[in-house]
Amino acid sequence: MTAQASVLDDRRCDLGEGPLWHPGRGQLFWFDINRGQLLSRNDEGPLSWDFGGPVSAAGWLDEGHLLVASDRALLRFSIKDGSTEPVVALEADDPRTRSNDGRADPWGGFWIGTMGRQAEPGLGAIWRYHRGELRRMFSGITISNAISFAPDGSHACFADTRRRMIWRVALAEADGWPAGDPQPFVDLGPAGLNPDGAVMDAEGTLWVALWGDGSITGFGPDGQRRERLALPSPHVSCPAFGGEGFGTLYATTACEGLGAAALEAHPQAGMTFTVATGLRGQAEHRVVL
């Protein structure tokens, strides 16, 4: 597929992550995890909010508020004044971990993955917050990623980047909780590829950022590899759909782990991009507290 990547924001993130298109505001938000920042843009220019510690993913609550995953909690965040209120603690008893990848589900819940701050093997998990309850669903994850949902709500996907595996799990129609055990969906081990963040389009294709490969690559509902979209940054971290008709693919990238020579060779590494593809995405679901 022919795709044209353009720079949306030229601030170089150390670890850009978690892009979220707020459909009510028509505005993209994303994070620099290592710098503890939430980033955005409006007609007046770039915006940023400092959290004083890692923040990684968000869902939208209403016109003026986001649910933000910090290293220790889920927070209700005011876009207007930058204030936060704790919603629920997240692995607060284990200082070794932090949040990583997350996304709202079709039932108003919010899935959030955790990982060790030093990517310690098996220290992370996949959690779901739904109508006041935070429940750990899957444990033994090293680097949680690729949380995404089928357009018909039939299943979810998630990955462990360290294991180079993406799983698919069926969801209960009534409330969205897992309806069985996760099943292997895409094994990227033989290809030596590292799945990072992901999003599903309106046709059910899973678009996966491949860390180190400089791409977002599509995998059909059958798990077979489809198109590869190249970006001018080796470490592509997460895609999200937004814009008019959800026809724009956004992508965060990272500088983390790139030496001086790699940064010189890739001067746009860490920037945030738009990718014109002709694809049609889904609207981001609202989180219901």
Side-chain angles (χ1 to χ4, degrees):
M1 175 183 295
T2 301
Q4 180 64 47
S6 302
V7 173
L8 171 74
D9 190 281
D10 63 3
R11 288 173 289 181
R12 298 181 75 171
C13 293
D14 191 53
L15 183 52
E17 259 290 4
L20 168 74
W21 178 262
H22 191 308
R25 298 177 67 91
Q27 185 175 357
L28 188 75
F29 296 87
W30 67 98
F31 297 90
D32 188 335
I33 295 178
N34 291 346
R35 295 190 177 118
Q37 291 182 324
L38 171 66
L39 305 172
S40 187
R41 297 187 67 86
N42 61 18
D43 292 340
E44 297 177 0
L47 303 167
S48 67
W49 298 266
D50 293 320
F51 283 75
V55 282
S56 65
W60 68 277
L61 294 169
D62 54 38
E63 187 75 14
H65 297 86
L66 304 178
L67 183 72
V68 170
S70 75
D71 55 344
R72 302 262 57 88
L74 298 181
L75 307 170
R76 186 175 187 266
F77 169 76
S78 169
I79 298 168
K80 180 178 180 180
D81 63 18
S83 63
T84 62
E85 308 171 23
V87 174
V88 64
L90 178 68
E91 296 186 5
D93 59 345
D94 193 343
R96 299 174 298 169
T97 65
R98 65 164 174 83
S99 67
N100 198 45
D101 187 71
R103 191 178 299 278
D105 67 34
W107 294 265
F110 187 74
W111 290 41
I112 182 66
T114 60
M115 61 176 287
R117 292 174 190 262
Q118 304 301 319
E120 295 91 337
L123 205 59
I126 305 288
W127 297 78
R128 185 191 189 211
Y129 179 79
H130 183 244
R131 300 187 183 274
E133 178 187 5
L134 181 69
R135 185 190 305 178
R136 183 168 58 190
M137 299 181 294
F138 313 113
S139 58
I141 305 290
T142 298
I143 303 176
S144 59
N145 263 311
I147 293 171
S148 48
F149 302 95
D152 63 0
S154 61
H155 63 272
C157 289
F158 66 91
D160 187 336
T161 303
R162 181 62 55 83
R163 294 177 65 180
R164 294 175 167 162
M165 176 66 76
I166 303 172
W167 288 271
R168 183 164 60 184
V169 60
L171 303 177
E173 183 178 354
D175 55 16
W177 289 104
D181 294 328
Q183 302 298 317
F185 178 51
V186 177
D187 183 359
L188 292 170
L193 295 171
N194 303 300
D196 207 304
V199 66
M200 283 197 208
D201 67 19
E203 304 301 320
T205 296
L206 181 69
W207 293 94
V208 184
L210 296 178
W211 180 271
D213 185 61
S215 77
I216 300 170
T217 296
F219 296 88
D222 57 2
Q224 295 301 304
R225 182 169 174 163
R226 296 187 175 177
E227 297 85 2
R228 178 182 183 273
L229 311 176
L231 277 79
S233 176
H235 292 340
V236 185
S237 53
C238 194
F241 283 103
E244 184 178 354
F246 306 101
T248 299
L249 188 64
Y250 296 94
T252 51
T253 69
C255 294
E256 183 184 68
L258 298 178
L263 290 172
E264 184 176 356
H266 301 281
Q268 294 178 322
M271 297 182 185
T272 302
F273 295 87
T274 63
V275 187
T277 64
L279 299 170
R280 185 168 62 89
Q282 308 177 62
E284 293 285 357
H285 301 289
R286 175 175 174 254
V287 179
V288 179
L289 297 182

